[in-house]
Amino acid sequence: MNRFCDYKSCQYFNKQPSIEQRSKLNKVMCPLCMNANYCSNRCRDLDWPIYHKEICKKSQPDRARSCNDTIDSCSTTSVRRKAEEFEIISIGSKLELGRGSYGSVKLVKDKQNGLLYAMKIMNKRQVFEYCSVENLKREIKIQRRLVHPHICKLHHYFEDKENVYLILEYAQNGSLFNYIKKRSKLPENEAFVYFFQTCLGIDYLHKNKIIHRDLKPENLLLDHEGNIKICDFGWSAESLTEKRMTFCGTYEYMAPEMLNKQPHDFSLDVWSLGILLYELLHGNAPYRGKNNEELGNKIKSGQPINFALTLSNDVVSLIKSILKYIPGERLTMNQIFEHPWMVKHASNYNIEIQTYVYKTQNPTRQIPTANFQSKQKSIDIQKKEPLSRPISQDQNKLKEQSNNYKPYQNDYKQEEFNKPRISRISNRNEIMMHQHQLQQQQQEEKLSFMDRVFLAFGCLNREKK
Ligand code: ATP
Ligand code: MG
């Protein structure tokens, strides 16, 4: 039979799609041998490390021997910069700003203009073998056209024989995740600043038809003035009209529709904003579990969440109106900006929210965050000084004892609690899961009918088993 998709685990491996289904599928082929056909980029990426890699090498030995060829044929167009034009700067004894799933992030100085950037170095072999090249292409394609004060700017991208390089705006003060862990939790007026700036960035993305899909404090960086910079667009998607289906994100921040494998839209990010505001104020996400399954079930059950009694009614009402189980019932970005809690805190900082909200008519307009920062006491991350005096620990203790809110640190090991959370089920895990399932399937196929009957009764001889 003429197969529609060459990936053995795809539903179209043995079955032809209907004409209607066919119109929705993209025909793609292996860029090396041009022989294997797939119904989607996902099937091509999953098939490569499991089966096709070996066959492909046989048919095009010269090309496949070199990893560069493989990535070149899939990569986005490079621009004219080179890795040698950037000098790596060490901070104290540290040579890296951080480590991502597919490589490291280093502080570099552009030799041409002396400016500092963060250089994300991704090893091509790892990207090609374990992560979807499509994800990397999407990350570059989306991030390069975004210009907003609260979105980490992608200045250049290029590749050499071994690596793909992203030259990013340098966020000097690390991630909001580490900042929250240092401070344990933030008072409402300080939480407002981070929440508001994140909302401005997300609103800009949504107005540009982009859903971030992996919003969490680990992906919110802080620049030298403590301003939010949204980063990591590896799971972002352009959503023009139709809803999206890919299962991605980080469990603690996943909306019920994602966990229920239902189509999702922009309201997915709105849910994550509600979780973010809760985490800023409590130091932990509202739903936690001993494993992802337990955590996912808690979110899917829609059980009410506990709030610290020290919080104002306004902020509790805002979080509750965002964390609505049904996506259509959640506040829109505009309703968030107009919520009394937002308006009250904005007026405390002498700002008018609407003057900061992105106006689509003038996409290059810069929101004057520097002025915004100078109107308040600057956030000195090193000194860990909050914008307002936090309620003393004793006062907190008394108030928390008087209600049934329990900080999660008591229920879970502290090391677990301080670890950054891992994004989504990565392709790497997915590939391993598929490999395992297929091995089991092949094992079962090797057994004869009678062997399987014996196996079912538990009396198959040991060697065979
Ligand atoms: P993962 O998929 O595991 O989140 P990743 O491959 O997407 O990883 P990033 O999250 O982008 O990698 O970066 C890893 C770490 O490097 C971040 O947690 C942060 O500490 C640091 N980092 C990334 N970008 C910057 C930046 N622009 N400025 C300063 N530090 C950065
Ligand atoms: Mg990340």
Side-chain angles (χ1 to χ4, degrees):
M1 188 178 79
N2 201 3
R3 280 188 213 116
F4 192 77
C5 182
D6 280 334
Y7 179 44
K8 285 187 194 166
S9 299
C10 175
Q11 55 171 321
Y12 302 123
F13 180 70
N14 285 323
K15 195 180 96 188
Q16 285 285 330
S18 66
I19 297 171
E20 198 201 336
Q21 285 165 334
R22 207 178 273 241
S23 66
K24 288 183 193 153
L25 296 167
N26 273 337
K27 238 356 203 164
V28 286
M29 50 176 101
C30 168
L32 288 184
C33 63
M34 304 289 185
N35 276 334
N37 287 302
Y38 302 100
C39 68
S40 63
N41 289 324
R42 183 179 171 276
C43 279
R44 186 192 63 189
D45 290 344
L46 285 171
D47 189 49
W48 169 261
I50 304 174
Y51 311 107
H52 187 62
K53 194 175 170 182
E54 297 308 312
I55 312 164
C56 193
K57 270 181 192 165
K58 277 172 213 153
S59 59
Q60 294 275 344
D62 293 336
R63 294 205 66 192
R65 202 180 299 134
S66 144
C67 176
N68 324 321
D69 288 339
T70 57
I71 194 86
D72 281 345
S73 53
C74 300
S75 66
T76 48
T77 1
S78 312
V79 287
R80 278 145 274 131
R81 302 302 304 264
K82 284 191 207 120
E84 300 81 73
E85 294 169 17
F86 296 87
E87 180 192 337
I88 294 172
I89 312 277
S90 58
I91 318 157
S93 57
K94 275 195 348 192
L95 278 171
E96 282 177 357
L97 290 170
R99 226 156 219 281
S101 319
Y102 307 106
S104 62
V105 181
K106 291 184 176 166
L107 176 64
V108 293
K109 189 160 93 179
D110 186 342
K111 291 177 187 168
Q112 283 181 8
N113 58 19
L115 295 177
L116 293 178
Y117 297 100
M119 184 193 253
K120 189 165 167 176
I121 308 166
M122 282 168 286
N123 183 271
K124 284 181 178 182
R125 190 177 289 277
Q126 278 186 16
V127 170
F128 200 85
E129 297 213 353
Y130 298 115
C131 131
S132 161
V133 175
E134 289 311 311
N135 272 25
L136 176 59
K137 278 206 226 173
R138 210 183 315 127
E139 181 170 2
I140 295 174
K141 189 178 157 219
I142 291 179
Q143 207 173 350
R144 62 191 276 227
R145 67 180 165 93
L146 302 175
V147 182
H148 188 274
H150 299 300
I151 289 175
C152 186
K153 175 111 190 73
L154 173 63
H155 290 275
H156 309 285
Y157 59 96
F158 46 85
E159 55 187 301
D160 61 18
K161 279 185 180 177
E162 281 174 13
N163 302 310
V164 175
Y165 301 86
L166 305 188
I167 302 293
L168 298 156
E169 176 178 2
Y170 171 42
Q172 195 178 316
N173 278 307
S175 72
L176 183 64
F177 176 81
N178 286 339
Y179 183 60
I180 301 174
K181 293 300 160 224
K182 272 188 214 158
R183 295 282 310 281
S184 72
K185 60 184 166 187
L186 307 181
E188 287 185 34
N189 56 350
E190 196 183 349
F192 164 78
V193 178
Y194 298 122
F195 180 70
F196 175 48
Q197 293 191 340
T198 311
C199 287
L200 290 174
I202 292 294
D203 183 56
Y204 167 85
L205 288 182
H206 290 185
K207 284 181 175 145
N208 281 287
K209 306 275 177 269
I210 293 160
I211 323 177
H212 187 280
R213 304 202 296 186
D214 197 14
L215 188 63
K216 56 177 173 176
E218 290 86 332
N219 287 338
L220 297 171
L221 302 177
L222 297 168
D223 74 3
H224 61 291
E225 287 180 316
N227 288 308
I228 289 285
K229 300 282 169 181
I230 302 174
C231 74
D232 214 341
F233 289 82
W235 287 100
S236 301
E238 282 176 283
S239 185
L240 296 167
T241 46
E242 84 280 25
K243 290 201 172 197
R244 311 291 308 196
M245 281 300 292
T246 313
F247 183 72
C248 56
T250 301
Y251 270 90
E252 277 87 345
Y253 275 74
M254 260 182 212
E257 64 272 23
M258 177 64 83
L259 289 159
N260 288 325
K261 310 254 162 68
Q262 285 163 351
H264 53 261
D265 59 15
F266 299 101
S267 52
L268 188 84
D269 286 341
V270 173
W271 172 278
S272 308
L273 282 171
I275 304 282
L276 172 72
L277 183 53
Y278 185 100
E279 182 157 343
L280 286 165
L281 298 164
H282 295 83
N284 52 262
Y287 298 101
R288 295 279 314 249
K290 291 195 176 67
N291 51 45
N292 286 339
E293 200 189 345
E294 190 186 296
L295 174 58
N297 287 339
K298 278 190 192 166
I299 301 172
K300 283 195 281 185
S301 72
Q303 56 175 256
I305 50 177
N306 291 329
F307 290 91
L309 261 196
T310 47
L311 296 178
S312 68
N313 291 338
D314 273 348
V315 80
V316 173
S317 113
L318 173 57
I319 297 173
K320 282 186 177 171
S321 325
I322 294 176
L323 295 181
K324 291 277 185 201
Y325 197 90
I326 300 168
E329 289 178 5
R330 281 172 215 154
L331 293 186
T332 61
M333 289 310 298
N334 261 346
Q335 287 169 329
I336 294 178
F337 288 130
E338 284 164 7
H339 191 275
W341 184 79
M342 297 289 281
V343 175
K344 185 181 89 189
H345 283 279
S347 78
N348 287 347
Y349 286 106
N350 267 336
I351 59 157
E352 167 93 56
I353 286 188
Q354 281 308 322
T355 57
Y356 289 86
V357 176
Y358 171 59
K359 303 272 186 286
T360 41
Q361 301 92 300
N362 184 6
T364 51
R365 186 176 79 96
Q366 290 284 312
I367 296 166
T369 45
N371 296 347
F372 170 59
Q373 290 292 331
S374 63
K375 277 185 192 154
Q376 46 174 286
K377 214 169 150 196
S378 79
I379 307 163
D380 188 342
I381 310 290
Q382 303 310 325
K383 286 189 204 145
K384 292 182 236 159
E385 228 173 76
L387 287 167
S388 76
R389 217 146 51 88
I391 303 156
S392 77
Q393 288 295 322
D394 291 348
Q395 252 177 308
N396 265 340
K397 243 186 205 163
L398 276 177
K399 287 192 172 169
E400 273 159 16
Q401 274 165 7
S402 65
N403 75 48
N404 55 4
Y405 167 75
K406 274 199 286 157
Y408 282 102
Q409 289 99 310
N410 300 341
D411 305 345
Y412 298 92
K413 282 189 195 150
Q414 192 62 37
E415 319 90 77
E416 240 352 270
F417 182 74
N418 285 335
K419 262 197 240 157
R421 290 148 295 195
I422 298 167
S423 300
R424 73 270 168 173
I425 299 178
S426 68
N427 267 11
R428 190 181 193 143
N429 291 350
E430 212 173 324
I431 288 162
M432 274 154 65
M433 217 164 69
H434 275 241
Q435 268 175 331
H436 181 71
Q437 278 169 1
L438 277 156
Q439 270 167 10
Q440 269 187 338
Q441 213 175 308
Q442 282 162 0
Q443 205 87 55
E444 274 170 30
E445 275 162 14
K446 272 187 208 156
L447 300 176
S448 70
F449 173 74
M450 278 321 286
D451 284 341
R452 267 183 267 166
V453 174
F454 286 141
L455 183 67
F457 285 101
C459 50
L460 187 73
N461 75 45
R462 244 184 238 159
E463 302 88 272
K464 207 154 196 177
K465 207 173 180 179

